[in-house]
Amino acid sequence: MSVVLMFIGSWIGYGPFFCSLLVILLIGYYWTWSRSRFVRLINALPGPDALPFLGNFMDLNVDHDEYLKIVHFDWIKKYGAIYRLWLGHPAVLISSPEFMEPILNSQKLISKAVEYRYLNPWLGNCMFLTTGSRWRNRRRLLTPAFHFQILNSFVDVFNEKSADCAREFTKAIEAHGDENEIDIFPMMTQCALDIICETSMGRQTRNETEKAIYVKNLHRIGQIVMERGIRPWLAFDWIYKLSSLGRENQRCVKALHTFTNQVIRDRREILKRKANCHTDMPKSSLNNNNVIFQDTQEFHPKERLAFLDLLIKASETNADFSDDDIREEVDTVMFAGHDTTASAMSFFLHCIAKYPEHQQLVLQEVDAVFGDSDRDCSVQDAAELKYLECCIKETLRLYPSVPAIMRCLTEDIEIGGYKLPSGTSVALMIHGMHHSPEVFPDPETFDPKRFLPENSIGRHPYAFVPFSAGPRNCIGQKYGMLEIKVVLANLMRRFRFSVSDPSAPLIIPSSEVVLKPKHGIPLILSKRSFGE
């Protein structure tokens, strides 16, 4: 004990010396670092003034909707289509299709930015986060699960769940009347959740209480990632794990993993029992990459396989594909496929409620395709709904579900007259680009006719990229568009949508990993019949 007391006493005596030494070392490190080639190249770009170590944290420590406004509008207007900011480490933000093209089109620049590693404790080395040969192998493994014949088999799920959503709309009208605004966002979120649960995990997915807890944790993970991303000191894992945010993240991850692991075990048991009972299952064959591929000759919609079933079957023929790998990909599909479609469908209904002239054109198209029948929407029906698709695309222009994507440069590249060094995080600002008057004239107006074929001629191929583009584009974009079209077509057949104040501006979204309405989507709902 006396030795310990002597050590403490000596430390107190030398405390001021060591503090001074630490300050000198930090100043020396910062002076050397700030004059490095990497920093000089980054600081050659325009951008907001940054504080030592904290960077632009003080500017961006704001609510999520204000954050979106600053980085996608204010700073783009002030500094241009390429600028830089600092949050402990630098990020270069790009908002023009010409500047995005060399990155999106590259077969080399496919590495995710370091910011995505904040999702690793939950999603591990899933296809969304990994790179190189592992990404290519995983993409090759999963692509058959999104084959059009399998996607088409999910249309009955889209129809069933949109009918459930329509019933919820009817109940809301009966409870609140058809003259009062109702927040449709929770109902659209539930619809998207029910669809992704059944198509990715199967009909027997746990109970509603467990699913609600799963989704609550899923949403919170997205918020935690955003909150960690703007706090430079939390980039250090050891500090993050000691923080309240890090501890909350661990609790969420544990709950999410527990849920998905149990679903996988249950699903394996169900498939095993079906095999033992010699039930009629769709025949499968292996493609050239030794991946399970559904035989389209004998595939029947009522015998559809969930995404999880296809992964389990793949694991039976691929020893390197473990249950942890299955869990990572299922969690990724839940994460990417639930919030994104809920957001897109909700913002769509908001836009057509604000612009009744476009809603009327959609209603006329829907009535022309379905007449006065109450039959389900087929794939062929969805293909005929051209103006509905234009309205969906215009919604995704105004409200892209993922407002930005990030890459880490693995080699130097010149963009916009600036040399960006290897190791730089580059943010492709989809939301900012979609709202740029240089890319889309009168960008704040909802104008679906922008996406008519004759009006799209000459537009840069990377001007509209709600699902990203190039080799790392969204593997589920066809699934997402088909789901959105079927659900919205069924709702438009049954309801009209309006707002209490047509003169009010469009809703300003909140920037999380997925774009969301900050205060819901309040709309007036009214039932309609054919021709109304």
Side-chain angles (χ1 to χ4, degrees):
M1 175 64 77
S2 60
V3 173
V4 173
L5 292 174
M6 288 175 62
F7 175 78
I8 293 174
S10 64
W11 171 257
I12 293 173
Y14 286 106
F17 169 76
F18 283 116
C19 287
S20 300
L21 181 61
L22 179 60
V23 169
I24 292 170
L25 290 174
L26 286 174
I27 292 173
Y29 167 78
Y30 184 80
W31 186 88
T32 304
W33 169 82
S34 64
R35 282 156 178 75
S36 65
R37 174 182 180 270
F38 180 85
V39 173
R40 285 188 288 106
L41 288 174
I42 295 296
N43 279 336
L45 280 81
D49 293 335
L51 296 171
F53 300 109
L54 289 178
N56 297 109
F57 166 71
M58 300 302 293
D59 297 310
L60 299 177
N61 187 28
V62 293
D63 288 344
H64 290 167
D65 55 335
E66 183 65 17
Y67 176 93
L68 188 82
K69 177 178 177 293
I70 291 171
V71 299
H72 287 271
F73 292 89
D74 296 348
W75 285 351
I76 289 176
K77 184 177 181 180
K78 185 173 183 179
Y79 301 114
I82 180 169
Y83 71 93
R84 56 101 185 106
L85 61 80
W86 290 90
L87 284 171
H89 58 276
V92 174
L93 293 79
I94 295 174
S95 57
S96 82
E98 292 81 10
F99 294 169
M100 288 187 185
E101 183 173 9
I103 295 176
L104 288 174
N105 217 23
S106 174
Q107 294 288 339
K108 295 180 179 179
L109 303 177
I110 59 173
S111 296
K112 293 287 185 176
V114 294
E115 288 79 3
Y116 286 104
R117 70 181 176 85
Y118 300 155
L119 289 168
N120 283 136
W122 173 32
L123 300 179
N125 290 315
C126 67
M127 181 187 69
F128 175 67
L129 298 178
T130 193
T131 191
S133 60
R134 181 181 176 87
W135 167 74
R136 290 185 176 86
N137 291 337
R138 190 63 63 88
R139 177 105 180 184
R140 192 179 301 119
L141 177 76
L142 298 179
T143 295
F146 292 91
H147 186 269
F148 74 91
Q149 190 72 11
I150 293 175
L151 297 185
N152 292 353
S153 75
F154 290 142
V155 171
D156 59 326
V157 180
F158 304 157
N159 279 298
E160 177 186 337
K161 301 308 178 185
S162 56
D164 291 343
C165 184
R167 281 188 284 273
E168 292 302 312
F169 278 12
T170 300
K171 290 179 184 178
I173 293 172
E174 293 171 351
H176 301 282
D178 58 4
E179 295 182 357
N180 297 310
E181 289 186 329
I182 300 164
D183 182 9
I184 57 94
F185 186 62
M187 291 180 279
M188 298 311 300
T189 299
Q190 186 64 49
C191 178
L193 171 64
D194 290 342
I195 287 172
I196 201 67
C197 277
E198 186 159 330
T199 57
S200 68
M201 294 185 175
R203 187 179 291 273
Q204 295 83 2
T205 304
R206 316 307 292 160
N207 60 49
E208 293 304 315
T209 300
E210 289 175 313
K211 284 199 292 187
I213 294 172
Y214 178 88
V215 171
K216 181 179 179 181
N217 285 306
L218 185 152
H219 288 174
R220 184 56 187 144
I221 283 281
Q223 294 172 337
I224 288 171
V225 168
M226 289 295 294
E227 290 170 25
R228 184 183 183 186
I230 65 169
R231 292 167 170 79
W233 57 91
L234 293 183
F236 300 98
D237 287 339
W238 66 275
I239 295 179
Y240 178 65
K241 289 177 181 178
L242 293 173
S243 70
S244 60
L245 201 66
R247 293 194 299 272
E248 184 182 5
N249 185 72
Q250 288 179 326
R251 290 193 295 270
C252 289
V253 167
K254 182 178 179 181
L256 290 166
H257 284 178
T258 298
F259 177 90
T260 313
N261 285 335
Q262 187 60 52
V263 168
I264 293 170
R265 287 193 292 270
D266 291 350
R267 199 67 184 167
R268 278 194 186 278
E269 185 61 32
I270 289 170
L271 294 177
K272 188 182 298 183
R273 287 203 302 269
K274 285 184 177 180
N276 291 339
C277 293
H278 304 288
T279 53
D280 294 330
M281 296 289 290
K283 293 183 179 180
S284 301
S285 60
L286 293 177
N287 65 10
N288 292 333
N289 298 314
N290 293 323
V291 181
I292 293 295
F293 192 87
Q294 200 63 45
D295 185 344
T296 57
Q297 296 289 327
E298 304 192 36
F299 188 87
H300 192 277
K302 293 188 181 299
E303 297 172 334
R304 65 178 179 271
L305 295 183
F307 179 67
L308 173 56
D309 299 343
L310 296 168
L311 295 179
I312 289 173
K313 285 183 170 289
S315 72
E316 293 170 355
T317 59
N318 189 331
D320 295 329
F321 198 59
S322 66
D323 275 8
D324 284 343
D325 295 320
I326 294 174
R327 188 198 68 232
E328 291 168 1
E329 300 303 339
V330 171
D331 278 341
T332 302
V333 168
M334 286 290 294
F335 177 53
H338 158 230
D339 273 356
T340 52
T341 52
S343 170
M345 292 188 293
S346 298
F347 283 123
F348 169 91
L349 295 178
H350 169 65
C351 288
I352 61 162
K354 285 281 297 172
Y355 294 91
E357 66 275 19
H358 295 297
Q359 180 172 185
Q360 187 60 37
L361 292 174
V362 173
L363 295 178
Q364 291 172 2
E365 181 180 67
V366 166
D367 288 349
V369 170
F370 295 100
D372 60 355
S373 75
D374 60 356
R375 62 181 175 81
D376 284 347
C377 178
S378 68
V379 175
Q380 292 73 26
D381 293 328
E384 292 183 39
L385 298 170
K386 304 294 187 182
Y387 199 72
L388 172 63
E389 182 172 322
C390 287
C391 290
I392 292 170
K393 287 182 176 179
E394 178 68 347
T395 300
L396 290 172
R397 183 190 68 80
L398 284 168
Y399 299 102
S401 296
V402 179
I405 56 176
M406 298 189 72
R407 300 281 174 85
C408 178
L409 299 182
T410 52
E411 59 184 39
D412 290 2
I413 184 173
E414 187 167 317
I415 296 178
Y418 299 98
K419 177 168 282 190
L420 307 185
S422 176
T424 303
S425 289
V426 176
L428 306 181
M429 310 295 279
I430 296 171
H431 187 75
M433 179 177 68
H434 284 182
H435 286 259
S436 170
E438 296 179 4
V439 181
F440 291 98
D442 195 14
E444 302 310 313
T445 297
F446 181 77
D447 182 11
K449 294 180 181 179
R450 299 178 202 272
F451 292 97
L452 292 173
E454 61 270 24
N455 294 331
S456 300
I457 297 172
R459 182 178 297 147
H460 195 286
Y462 292 109
F464 177 69
V465 286
F467 298 99
S468 187
R472 289 213 73 151
N473 68 339
C474 174
I475 194 173
Q477 62 179 313
K478 291 182 179 179
Y479 168 99
M481 278 298 292
L482 182 59
E483 174 190 346
I484 292 168
K485 287 186 78 172
V486 172
V487 171
L488 293 177
N490 285 332
L491 293 179
M492 297 301 294
R493 294 162 68 184
R494 296 169 172 84
F495 303 96
R496 278 187 181 271
F497 303 87
S498 57
V499 292
S500 59
D501 182 8
S503 64
L506 285 168
I507 284 177
I508 297 175
S510 177
S511 179
E512 299 179 20
V513 177
V514 172
L515 212 63
K516 295 180 181 178
K518 186 176 182 180
H519 301 296
I521 304 280
L523 299 179
I524 298 171
L525 313 182
S526 57
K527 294 182 182 179
R528 70 174 291 264
S529 301
F530 171 69
E532 292 184 347

